Amino acid sequence: MSNSFSRRLALLADDRHRHLLGQGRRGIERETLRVDFQGNLALTPHPSALGSALTNEQITTDYSESLLEFITPAEHDIADALDELDRIHRFASSKLDGELLWSQSMPCALPDEETIPIAWYGTSHIGMIKHVYRRGLAVRYGKAMQCIAGLHYNYSLSEDLWRVLKADEQSQTDDKSYQSESYISLIRNFHRYSWLLMYLFGASPALSAQFLRDRAHTLETLSDDTLYLPYATSLRMSDLGYQNNAQAGLMPPYNDLDSYMRSLSRAVRQPYPAYEAIGTRRDGEWIQLNTNLLQIENEYYATIRPKRVINSGERPVEALCARGVQYIEVRCMDIDPFEPLGINLQTSRFLDAFLLFCALHDSPMVDDTGDHENGENFSRTVKEGRRPGLMLQRDGKSISLQAWGLELLEQIHLTADLLDAQHGDKQHAEAIRSQQKKLHDTTLTPSARVLAALQANGKSFEQFGMQQSRAHAEHFRMRPLSEKETAVFDTLAKQSLAEQEKMEQTQCGDFDAFVAAYNLRTPQRLCDGV
């Protein structure tokens, strides 16, 4: 264990500073498809009882009109966020008419591309920007890929904690810069070690055979309707899930916030020939916002992002430039099909310990070689993470996934103990022990459990997905919200619909001019030196 890591642990274990560990924020965004009782994609509009997908802050849609997204407030304790996520699920489930929430990351049976509905946000300029952006995703990558669901974990440490670490290091940088670069340091470590999350929590080793739509692949056949890889952990995170050849090489290894923003800024104003050939309109209708490599910053897919809450009309890179990094968003977590919420408290406690480890541990700068090594370790784990004796690369030398994973868990245990001391229980340490068991016994991993369930239930991904979806629906049905809780969500839904209507009635100017102004607002220079 390095001296600097030990020093930071001791500093935060001090009675004067330990309380700061409880002042960070945690939040969850869970995506889930709506399906009918036959397991087909629901083609109905977003239920009005859930409010406006444009303005409801807790229930919205992602790519498709059928892809719900549930968003919790940011809480100091992830248990509180999970409680809120549970209430959102119970409310939404009660408002679905003849439909279920799909239990898997990989999609249900999908109709042809033309039939998959793109999310609609109304006729306001902001709503149409969101819709046209999704039209662009369809022409660039296809609709099926955009129906994959995931779980995003938002994580921050308190600004006072960063100030304590800064003072201990006697850093001469300003608070904003120190905090931002510390989050970038966390992200570097995340890239080094996120293969471990894929082994421990990957839950998509199989998919519906029709999902690939005649694309070339190396998957094996489990049944007439199911393809899989025998040692895979997360096909969602493989090149068969989120794939984007155009973005290859877009983001070189970045060791500071300016480098990250420079790459994003370049991509949102760099024309891309294949997209120029498509154009922005077809038969007089907008089909993408522009023909650049990225239409907007959020089109760049990453397993983790530095984030800052944006103001109305502000672009993500502008917010980062003006006010620095506020939190990180982990985007590689699969939906756990055995959990009604897609995640449980123990997994969340582990994530908190893992991310604190990434924040406090030494994080050397990364070069092209290290970046390639990180990517290969991640790719190998998602496709064959449970293969006996699987070897990864650490600093150019081979090491078994199991040995490296156990080494990491020993170090993460130290941050778990730190969190438990602040929290007053042993939940984080217990989460570490559960993950250690998975490294000793691959059958305990979610991906192995999914394949075992498939083998026991007709080897059909779609049947397994429906079985879990029905079980989760019953779980929520048996625990209805109180009248008071329901009234809160009903009020939020009605207020969001009224807000959308007001936006549509009070806007001025035409949409073409609005898009032109939006594209022109992409800054040429974002920060000093960018």
Side-chain angles (χ1 to χ4, degrees):
M1 183 168 59
S2 72
N3 290 335
S4 57
F5 183 44
S6 298
R7 182 182 179 89
R8 291 170 189 148
L9 289 171
L11 184 68
L12 296 179
D14 189 292
D15 290 342
R16 295 171 298 171
H17 305 135
R18 185 186 301 146
H19 69 284
L20 297 176
L21 292 166
Q23 294 182 3
R25 296 281 184 175
R26 315 285 183 268
I28 293 175
E29 303 165 29
R30 189 262 167 103
E31 300 162 349
T32 175
L33 288 170
R34 290 184 291 114
V35 299
D36 64 24
F37 285 166
Q38 287 70 50
N40 299 310
L41 185 71
L43 303 179
T44 51
H46 182 66
S48 60
L50 301 183
S52 164
L54 178 65
T55 53
N56 190 330
E57 293 184 353
Q58 292 197 291
I59 302 175
T60 182
T61 53
D62 193 77
Y63 168 76
S64 172
E65 186 76 352
S66 312
L67 184 56
L68 291 169
E69 183 174 6
F70 301 150
I71 304 169
T72 74
E75 305 284 359
H76 292 303
D77 190 337
I78 189 59
D80 294 331
L82 287 169
D83 286 344
E84 183 64 16
L85 185 62
D86 179 61
R87 286 188 287 271
I88 296 172
H89 277 78
R90 288 152 65 193
F91 174 76
S93 293
S94 72
K95 301 299 183 181
L96 297 182
D97 183 11
E99 296 174 355
L100 300 169
L101 302 176
W102 185 242
S103 59
Q104 313 290 315
S105 277
M106 299 307 291
C108 61
L110 295 175
D112 60 76
E113 286 276 312
E114 289 300 316
T115 306
I116 296 173
I118 296 174
W120 176 249
Y121 300 96
T123 58
S124 70
H125 294 337
I126 292 293
M128 286 302 299
I129 281 275
K130 291 170 71 72
H131 179 72
V132 173
Y133 164 63
R134 285 158 175 76
R135 287 184 182 176
L137 297 178
V139 298
R140 293 176 178 213
Y141 317 118
K143 293 181 177 180
M145 188 179 84
Q146 306 301 321
C147 291
I148 297 172
L151 186 140
H152 300 166
Y153 196 86
N154 298 316
Y155 175 89
S156 73
L157 293 170
S158 77
E159 294 185 356
D160 286 340
L161 186 149
W162 290 123
R163 292 188 188 100
V164 166
L165 294 176
K166 175 176 174 280
D168 182 67
E169 293 177 17
Q170 299 181 344
S171 172
Q172 299 303 306
T173 60
D174 61 87
D175 288 351
K176 183 187 84 169
S177 297
Y178 180 86
Q179 178 173 309
S180 292
E181 298 311 322
S182 295
Y183 276 119
I184 298 300
S185 176
L186 183 163
I187 289 171
R188 283 198 302 272
N189 274 337
F190 183 89
H191 287 150
R192 288 186 179 99
Y193 306 129
S194 55
W195 58 265
L196 180 62
L197 299 181
M198 295 297 91
Y199 175 83
L200 296 174
F201 305 112
S204 55
L207 47 77
S208 172
Q210 55 90 262
F211 170 75
L212 294 177
R213 302 185 186 274
D214 299 322
R215 282 165 49 195
H217 65 82
T218 59
L219 300 183
E220 299 180 20
T221 299
L222 186 64
S223 66
D224 289 344
D225 71 359
T226 303
L227 300 174
Y228 81 119
L229 284 177
Y231 301 112
T233 62
S234 177
L235 294 179
R236 165 181 170 262
M237 294 306 301
S238 76
D239 54 2
L240 293 171
Y242 289 117
Q243 62 160 2
N244 193 326
N245 294 332
Q247 291 187 19
L250 182 158
M251 187 66 66
Y254 61 92
N255 290 302
D256 54 62
L257 181 59
D258 281 357
S259 297
Y260 174 80
M261 293 191 297
R262 184 182 300 113
S263 294
L264 269 189
S265 177
R266 184 183 304 116
V268 295
R269 37 176 224 268
Q270 175 185 334
Y272 188 68
Y275 303 154
E276 288 183 307
I278 296 171
T280 57
R281 294 171 182 264
R282 183 178 296 159
D283 299 325
E285 294 284 330
W286 282 92
I287 56 172
Q288 54 181 342
L289 292 176
N290 53 59
T291 58
N292 297 331
L293 183 56
L294 300 179
Q295 298 174 88
I296 61 175
E297 296 92 325
N298 286 348
E299 188 173 340
Y300 172 63
Y301 186 76
T303 57
I304 185 171
R305 286 177 180 166
K307 300 274 284 193
R308 162 66 64 173
V309 174
I310 62 175
N311 298 322
S312 178
E314 189 176 37
R315 298 188 68 140
V317 173
E318 291 177 305
L320 287 173
C321 171
R323 300 183 298 284
V325 183
Q326 183 180 18
Y327 66 100
I328 55 96
E329 178 189 44
V330 173
R331 300 171 55 81
C332 62
M333 297 294 289
D334 281 352
I335 302 298
D336 185 340
F338 300 102
E339 295 293 333
L341 303 184
I343 189 173
N344 61 26
L345 180 59
Q346 187 177 84
T347 297
S348 302
R349 295 293 190 212
F350 178 84
L351 285 172
D352 284 350
F354 176 83
L355 292 169
L356 183 60
F357 165 78
C358 288
L360 300 182
H361 201 270
D362 295 358
S363 180
M365 299 294 184
V366 64
D367 57 15
D368 289 337
T369 300
D371 185 58
H372 178 76
E373 185 176 87
N374 294 340
E376 285 296 305
N377 287 338
F378 189 91
S379 178
R380 187 167 296 178
T381 303
V382 298
K383 282 194 168 183
E384 51 180 346
R386 287 177 290 103
R387 182 182 294 279
L390 180 67
M391 304 299 288
L392 304 180
Q393 291 288 309
R394 181 172 66 181
D395 298 327
K397 298 178 181 179
S398 293
I399 182 172
S400 73
L401 179 151
Q402 183 189 52
W404 194 2
L406 289 171
E407 283 183 26
L408 283 173
L409 289 184
E410 284 298 317
Q411 296 184 75
I412 298 168
H413 210 307
L414 299 173
T415 54
D417 289 342
L418 194 63
L419 291 168
D420 281 341
Q422 183 274 324
H423 205 255
D425 55 33
K426 296 293 184 182
Q427 291 186 19
H428 298 86
E430 289 169 1
I432 301 298
R433 285 191 288 272
S434 291
Q435 309 320 312
Q436 288 171 328
K437 292 177 182 178
K438 292 180 185 177
L439 281 163
H440 287 296
D441 183 357
T442 62
T443 65
L444 299 176
T445 60
S447 56
R449 293 174 61 205
V450 167
L451 289 182
L454 288 174
Q455 293 286 357
N457 292 279
K459 301 182 178 181
S460 170
F461 170 78
E462 294 172 8
Q463 288 182 21
F464 172 67
M466 280 301 291
Q467 172 185 300
Q468 296 304 108
S469 299
R470 291 191 187 99
H472 296 168
E474 182 65 11
H475 171 80
F476 297 128
R477 189 185 70 81
M478 295 296 292
R479 300 166 51 250
L481 293 177
S482 68
E483 290 186 8
K484 182 177 180 180
E485 290 171 322
T486 300
V488 170
F489 282 107
D490 283 337
T491 299
L492 288 174
K494 292 175 183 176
Q495 289 175 342
S496 70
L497 290 169
E499 184 179 353
Q500 177 182 326
E501 183 178 5
K502 181 179 179 181
M503 291 171 65
E504 293 171 350
Q505 291 177 346
T506 58
Q507 70 181 11
C508 57
D510 63 58
F511 182 65
D512 291 3
F514 187 83
V515 174
Y518 184 84
N519 286 328
L520 285 174
R521 286 188 64 247
T522 304
Q524 294 289 321
R525 293 180 60 83
L526 299 165
C527 291
D528 292 341
V530 178

